[in-house]
CSV table of all heavy atoms in Angstrom, one decimal:
chain,number,residue,atom,x,y,z
F,1,THR,N,55.1,78.5,-1.9
F,1,THR,CA,55.0,77.1,-1.5
F,1,THR,C,55.6,76.1,-2.5
F,1,THR,O,56.0,76.5,-3.7
F,1,THR,CB,53.5,76.7,-1.5
F,1,THR,OG1,52.9,76.7,-2.8
F,1,THR,CG2,52.7,77.6,-0.5
F,2,TYR,N,55.8,74.9,-2.1
F,2,TYR,CA,56.3,73.9,-3.1
F,2,TYR,C,55.4,73.7,-4.3
F,2,TYR,O,55.9,73.6,-5.4
F,2,TYR,CB,56.5,72.5,-2.4
F,2,TYR,CG,57.8,72.4,-1.6
F,2,TYR,CD1,57.7,72.4,-0.2
F,2,TYR,CD2,59.0,72.3,-2.2
F,2,TYR,CE1,58.9,72.3,0.6
F,2,TYR,CE2,60.2,72.2,-1.4
F,2,TYR,CZ,60.1,72.2,-0.1
F,2,TYR,OH,61.3,72.1,0.7
F,3,GLN,N,54.1,73.8,-4.1
F,3,GLN,CA,53.2,73.7,-5.2
F,3,GLN,C,53.4,74.8,-6.2
F,3,GLN,O,53.4,74.6,-7.4
F,3,GLN,CB,51.8,73.6,-4.7
F,3,GLN,CG,50.7,73.4,-5.8
F,3,GLN,CD,49.3,73.2,-5.2
F,3,GLN,OE1,49.1,72.2,-4.5
F,3,GLN,NE2,48.4,74.1,-5.5
F,4,ASP,N,53.6,76.0,-5.7
F,4,ASP,CA,53.8,77.2,-6.5
F,4,ASP,C,55.1,77.0,-7.3
F,4,ASP,O,55.2,77.3,-8.5
F,4,ASP,CB,53.9,78.5,-5.7
F,4,ASP,CG,52.6,78.9,-5.1
F,4,ASP,OD1,51.5,78.5,-5.6
F,4,ASP,OD2,52.6,79.5,-4.0
F,5,ARG,N,56.1,76.5,-6.6
F,5,ARG,CA,57.4,76.3,-7.3
F,5,ARG,C,57.3,75.2,-8.3
F,5,ARG,O,57.9,75.4,-9.4
F,5,ARG,CB,58.5,76.0,-6.2
F,5,ARG,CG,58.9,77.2,-5.3
F,5,ARG,CD,59.7,76.7,-4.2
F,5,ARG,NE,61.0,76.2,-4.6
F,5,ARG,CZ,61.9,75.6,-3.8
F,5,ARG,NH1,61.6,75.5,-2.5
F,5,ARG,NH2,63.0,75.1,-4.3
F,6,LEU,N,56.6,74.2,-8.0
F,6,LEU,CA,56.5,73.1,-9.0
F,6,LEU,C,55.7,73.5,-10.2
F,6,LEU,O,56.2,73.2,-11.4
F,6,LEU,CB,55.7,71.9,-8.3
F,6,LEU,CG,56.5,71.1,-7.3
F,6,LEU,CD1,55.5,70.2,-6.5
F,6,LEU,CD2,57.5,70.2,-8.0
F,7,LEU,N,54.6,74.3,-10.0
F,7,LEU,CA,53.9,74.8,-11.2
F,7,LEU,C,54.6,75.8,-12.0
F,7,LEU,O,54.4,75.9,-13.2
F,7,LEU,CB,52.5,75.4,-10.7
F,7,LEU,CG,51.5,74.3,-10.2
F,7,LEU,CD1,50.4,75.0,-9.5
F,7,LEU,CD2,51.0,73.5,-11.3
F,8,LYS,N,55.5,76.5,-11.4
F,8,LYS,CA,56.3,77.5,-12.1
F,8,LYS,C,57.4,76.8,-12.9
F,8,LYS,O,57.8,77.3,-14.0
F,8,LYS,CB,57.0,78.5,-11.1
F,8,LYS,CG,57.8,79.6,-11.7
F,8,LYS,CD,58.4,80.5,-10.7
F,8,LYS,CE,59.2,81.6,-11.4
F,8,LYS,NZ,59.8,82.6,-10.4
F,9,ALA,N,57.9,75.7,-12.4
F,9,ALA,CA,59.1,75.1,-13.1
F,9,ALA,C,58.7,73.9,-14.0
F,9,ALA,O,59.4,73.7,-15.0
F,9,ALA,CB,60.0,74.5,-12.0
F,10,ILE,N,57.5,73.3,-13.8
F,10,ILE,CA,57.1,72.1,-14.5
F,10,ILE,C,55.7,72.2,-15.0
F,10,ILE,O,54.8,72.5,-14.2
F,10,ILE,CB,57.2,70.8,-13.6
F,10,ILE,CG1,58.6,70.7,-13.0
F,10,ILE,CG2,56.8,69.6,-14.4
F,10,ILE,CD1,58.7,69.7,-11.9
F,11,PRO,N,55.4,72.1,-16.3
F,11,PRO,CA,54.0,72.1,-16.7
F,11,PRO,C,53.2,71.1,-16.0
F,11,PRO,O,53.5,69.9,-16.0
F,11,PRO,CB,54.1,71.8,-18.2
F,11,PRO,CG,55.5,72.2,-18.6
F,11,PRO,CD,56.4,71.9,-17.4
F,12,GLY,N,52.1,71.5,-15.4
F,12,GLY,CA,51.3,70.6,-14.6
F,12,GLY,C,51.8,70.3,-13.2
F,12,GLY,O,51.2,69.7,-12.4
F,13,GLY,N,53.0,70.8,-12.9
F,13,GLY,CA,53.6,70.6,-11.6
F,13,GLY,C,54.2,69.3,-11.3
F,13,GLY,O,54.6,69.0,-10.1
F,14,ALA,N,54.2,68.4,-12.2
F,14,ALA,CA,54.7,67.0,-12.0
F,14,ALA,C,54.9,66.4,-13.4
F,14,ALA,O,54.4,66.9,-14.4
F,14,ALA,CB,53.7,66.2,-11.2
F,15,HIS,N,55.7,65.3,-13.4
F,15,HIS,CA,56.0,64.7,-14.7
F,15,HIS,C,55.0,63.6,-15.1
F,15,HIS,O,55.2,62.9,-16.1
F,15,HIS,CB,57.4,64.2,-14.7
F,15,HIS,CG,58.4,65.3,-14.8
F,15,HIS,ND1,58.8,66.1,-13.7
F,15,HIS,CD2,59.1,65.8,-15.9
F,15,HIS,CE1,59.7,67.0,-14.2
F,15,HIS,NE2,59.8,66.9,-15.5
F,16,THR,N,54.0,63.4,-14.3
F,16,THR,CA,52.9,62.5,-14.6
F,16,THR,C,51.6,63.2,-14.1
F,16,THR,O,51.6,63.7,-13.0
F,16,THR,CB,53.0,61.2,-13.9
F,16,THR,OG1,54.3,60.6,-14.1
F,16,THR,CG2,51.9,60.2,-14.4
F,17,TYR,N,50.6,63.3,-15.0
F,17,TYR,CA,49.4,64.1,-14.6
F,17,TYR,C,48.7,63.5,-13.4
F,17,TYR,O,48.1,64.3,-12.6
F,17,TYR,CB,48.5,64.2,-15.8
F,17,TYR,CG,48.9,65.2,-16.8
F,17,TYR,CD1,49.4,64.9,-18.1
F,17,TYR,CD2,48.9,66.6,-16.5
F,17,TYR,CE1,49.8,65.8,-19.0
F,17,TYR,CE2,49.3,67.6,-17.4
F,17,TYR,CZ,49.7,67.2,-18.6
F,17,TYR,OH,50.1,68.1,-19.5
F,18,SER,N,48.8,62.2,-13.2
F,18,SER,CA,48.2,61.7,-12.0
F,18,SER,C,48.9,62.0,-10.7
F,18,SER,O,48.4,61.7,-9.6
F,18,SER,CB,48.1,60.1,-12.1
F,18,SER,OG,49.3,59.6,-12.5
F,19,ARG,N,50.1,62.6,-10.8
F,19,ARG,CA,50.8,63.2,-9.6
F,19,ARG,C,50.4,64.6,-9.3
F,19,ARG,O,50.9,65.2,-8.4
F,19,ARG,CB,52.3,63.0,-9.7
F,19,ARG,CG,52.8,61.6,-9.6
F,19,ARG,CD,54.3,61.6,-9.5
F,19,ARG,NE,54.9,60.3,-9.2
F,19,ARG,CZ,55.5,59.5,-10.1
F,19,ARG,NH1,55.6,59.9,-11.3
F,19,ARG,NH2,56.0,58.4,-9.7
F,20,GLY,N,49.6,65.2,-10.2
F,20,GLY,CA,49.3,66.6,-10.1
F,20,GLY,C,48.5,67.0,-8.9
F,20,GLY,O,47.8,66.1,-8.3
F,21,PHE,N,48.5,68.2,-8.5
F,21,PHE,CA,47.8,68.7,-7.3
F,21,PHE,C,46.3,68.5,-7.4
F,21,PHE,O,45.6,68.3,-6.4
F,21,PHE,CB,48.1,70.1,-7.0
F,21,PHE,CG,47.4,71.1,-7.8
F,21,PHE,CD1,46.2,71.6,-7.5
F,21,PHE,CD2,48.0,71.5,-9.0
F,21,PHE,CE1,45.5,72.6,-8.3
F,21,PHE,CE2,47.3,72.4,-9.9
F,21,PHE,CZ,46.1,73.0,-9.5
F,22,ASP,N,45.8,68.5,-8.6
F,22,ASP,CA,44.3,68.4,-8.8
F,22,ASP,C,43.8,66.9,-8.6
F,22,ASP,O,42.6,66.7,-8.7
F,22,ASP,CB,43.9,68.9,-10.2
F,22,ASP,CG,44.6,68.1,-11.3
F,22,ASP,OD1,45.5,67.3,-11.1
F,22,ASP,OD2,44.1,68.3,-12.5
F,23,GLN,N,44.7,66.0,-8.4
F,23,GLN,CA,44.4,64.6,-8.1
F,23,GLN,C,44.3,64.3,-6.6
F,23,GLN,O,44.1,63.1,-6.3
F,23,GLN,CB,45.4,63.7,-8.8
F,23,GLN,CG,45.4,63.9,-10.3
F,23,GLN,CD,44.1,63.7,-11.0
F,23,GLN,OE1,43.5,62.6,-11.0
F,23,GLN,NE2,43.5,64.8,-11.6
F,24,TYR,N,44.5,65.3,-5.8
F,24,TYR,CA,44.6,65.0,-4.4
F,24,TYR,C,43.9,66.1,-3.6
F,24,TYR,O,43.7,67.2,-4.1
F,24,TYR,CB,46.1,65.1,-3.9
F,24,TYR,CG,46.9,63.9,-4.5
F,24,TYR,CD1,47.5,64.0,-5.8
F,24,TYR,CD2,47.1,62.7,-3.8
F,24,TYR,CE1,48.2,63.0,-6.3
F,24,TYR,CE2,47.8,61.7,-4.3
F,24,TYR,CZ,48.4,61.8,-5.6
F,24,TYR,OH,49.1,60.8,-6.1
F,25,PRO,N,43.5,65.8,-2.4
F,25,PRO,CA,42.8,66.8,-1.5
F,25,PRO,C,43.8,67.9,-1.1
F,25,PRO,O,45.1,67.7,-1.2
F,25,PRO,CB,42.3,66.0,-0.3
F,25,PRO,CG,43.2,64.8,-0.3
F,25,PRO,CD,43.6,64.5,-1.7
F,26,ALA,N,43.3,69.0,-0.6
F,26,ALA,CA,44.1,70.1,-0.3
F,26,ALA,C,45.2,69.8,0.8
F,26,ALA,O,46.2,70.5,0.9
F,26,ALA,CB,43.3,71.3,0.2
F,27,ASN,N,44.9,68.8,1.7
F,27,ASN,CA,45.8,68.5,2.8
F,27,ASN,C,46.9,67.5,2.4
F,27,ASN,O,47.7,67.1,3.3
F,27,ASN,CB,45.1,68.1,4.0
F,27,ASN,CG,44.4,66.7,3.8
F,27,ASN,OD1,44.1,66.3,2.7
F,27,ASN,ND2,44.2,65.9,4.9
F,28,ALA,N,46.9,67.1,1.2
F,28,ALA,CA,47.9,66.1,0.7
F,28,ALA,C,49.3,66.8,0.8
F,28,ALA,O,49.4,68.0,0.6
F,28,ALA,CB,47.6,65.6,-0.7
F,29,PRO,N,50.4,66.0,1.1
F,29,PRO,CA,51.7,66.6,1.0
F,29,PRO,C,52.0,67.1,-0.4
F,29,PRO,O,51.7,66.5,-1.4
F,29,PRO,CB,52.6,65.4,1.4
F,29,PRO,CG,51.8,64.2,1.1
F,29,PRO,CD,50.4,64.6,1.4
F,30,GLN,N,52.5,68.3,-0.5
F,30,GLN,CA,52.8,69.0,-1.8
F,30,GLN,C,54.0,68.3,-2.5
F,30,GLN,O,54.1,68.3,-3.7
F,30,GLN,CB,53.0,70.5,-1.6
F,30,GLN,CG,51.8,71.2,-1.2
F,30,GLN,CD,52.0,72.7,-1.1
F,30,GLN,OE1,53.0,73.2,-1.6
F,30,GLN,NE2,51.0,73.4,-0.5
F,31,ILE,N,54.9,67.8,-1.7
F,31,ILE,CA,56.1,67.2,-2.2
F,31,ILE,C,56.6,66.1,-1.3
F,31,ILE,O,56.3,66.2,0.0
F,31,ILE,CB,57.2,68.3,-2.4
F,31,ILE,CG1,58.3,67.9,-3.4
F,31,ILE,CG2,57.8,68.8,-1.0
F,31,ILE,CD1,59.1,69.0,-3.9
F,32,LEU,N,57.2,65.1,-1.8
F,32,LEU,CA,57.8,64.0,-1.0
F,32,LEU,C,59.3,64.0,-1.1
F,32,LEU,O,59.9,64.3,-2.1
F,32,LEU,CB,57.2,62.7,-1.4
F,32,LEU,CG,55.7,62.5,-1.3
F,32,LEU,CD1,55.2,61.2,-1.9
F,32,LEU,CD2,55.3,62.6,0.2
F,33,LYS,N,59.9,63.6,0.1
F,33,LYS,CA,61.4,63.6,0.1
F,33,LYS,C,61.9,62.2,-0.1
F,33,LYS,O,62.9,62.0,-0.8
F,33,LYS,CB,61.8,64.1,1.5
F,33,LYS,CG,63.3,64.2,1.6
F,33,LYS,CD,63.8,64.9,2.9
F,33,LYS,CE,65.3,65.0,3.0
F,33,LYS,NZ,65.7,65.7,4.3
F,34,ARG,N,61.2,61.2,0.4
F,34,ARG,CA,61.8,59.8,0.3
F,34,ARG,C,60.7,58.8,0.6
F,34,ARG,O,59.6,59.1,1.0
F,34,ARG,CB,63.0,59.6,1.3
F,34,ARG,CG,62.6,59.7,2.8
F,34,ARG,CD,63.8,59.6,3.7
F,34,ARG,NE,63.4,59.5,5.1
F,34,ARG,CZ,63.2,58.4,5.8
F,34,ARG,NH1,63.4,57.2,5.2
F,34,ARG,NH2,62.8,58.4,7.0
F,35,GLY,N,61.0,57.6,0.3
F,35,GLY,CA,60.2,56.4,0.6
F,35,GLY,C,61.0,55.3,1.2
F,35,GLY,O,62.1,55.1,0.8
F,36,LYS,N,60.4,54.5,2.0
F,36,LYS,CA,61.0,53.3,2.6
F,36,LYS,C,59.9,52.3,2.9
F,36,LYS,O,59.0,52.6,3.7
F,36,LYS,CB,61.8,53.6,3.8
F,36,LYS,CG,62.6,52.4,4.4
F,36,LYS,CD,63.6,51.9,3.4
F,36,LYS,CE,64.4,50.7,4.0
F,36,LYS,NZ,65.4,50.1,3.1
């Protein structure tokens, strides 16, 4: 999964801890592509 890949490549899976998977419910998108 994207979450697995993120945790393998980046300590904590994100570059800010408040973006980490443990800050969101299980159904949250694991990764985002864009915003508008």
Side-chain angles (χ1 to χ4, degrees):
T1 67
Y2 278 109
Q3 183 170 300
D4 292 333
R5 290 170 61 187
L6 285 165
L7 289 168
K8 183 178 180 181
I10 304 166
H15 285 83
T16 310
Y17 281 111
S18 52
R19 286 188 171 106
F21 75 92
D22 59 349
Q23 300 303 296
Y24 294 85
N27 69 332
Q30 293 184 11
I31 200 164
L32 296 174
K33 184 175 183 179
R34 66 185 183 94
K36 182 64 178 177

